[in-house]
Amino acid sequence: MKNAILKLEGSPQLIGGVETGGDYLRFHTRTDMTPEELRRLTDGQIEMDGKSERVLLESAQSTRRDGYTIELTLRRFAPSA
């Protein structure tokens, strides 16, 4: 898992870990935003490994009972070849 910074349009910056796999990314973070609030957001930028790329939010779900740990599934705008 790599460290990353995610900035979705209309949200504060989120810091967390990201797993990459082809055209999709799984971003794990802790936030006080609910999955429902995050699902209203559509796209943004993710920075990892010193590079920035545009992403589209596909899904958001809580991964722990505390409600603060969230997993976001993101799709890259520029597909990997």
Side-chain angles (χ1 to χ4, degrees):
M1 190 173 304
K2 302 174 187 180
N3 293 327
I5 299 170
L6 177 64
K7 176 66 173 113
L8 295 170
E9 297 292 328
S11 80
Q13 179 175 289
L14 300 169
I15 297 171
V18 67
E19 297 173 53
T20 60
D23 297 336
Y24 289 88
L25 309 169
R26 289 192 334 185
F27 183 77
H28 304 268
T29 190
R30 289 182 55 85
T31 180
D32 58 357
M33 294 180 72
T34 66
E36 292 75 25
E37 290 171 317
L38 286 163
R39 284 186 205 111
R40 291 187 209 128
L41 308 173
T42 56
D43 63 287
Q45 294 281 125
I46 192 165
E47 291 180 34
M48 59 184 169
D49 293 334
K51 298 178 186 175
S52 179
E53 63 182 289
R54 289 191 65 210
V55 291
L56 176 68
L57 178 63
E58 292 279 327
S59 68
Q61 60 186 343
S62 291
T63 57
R64 296 245 167 87
R65 290 181 191 236
D66 64 11
Y68 294 106
T69 305
I70 304 288
E71 178 181 285
L72 305 176
T73 301
L74 307 164
R75 183 169 39 96
R76 292 177 158 134
F77 267 86
S80 58

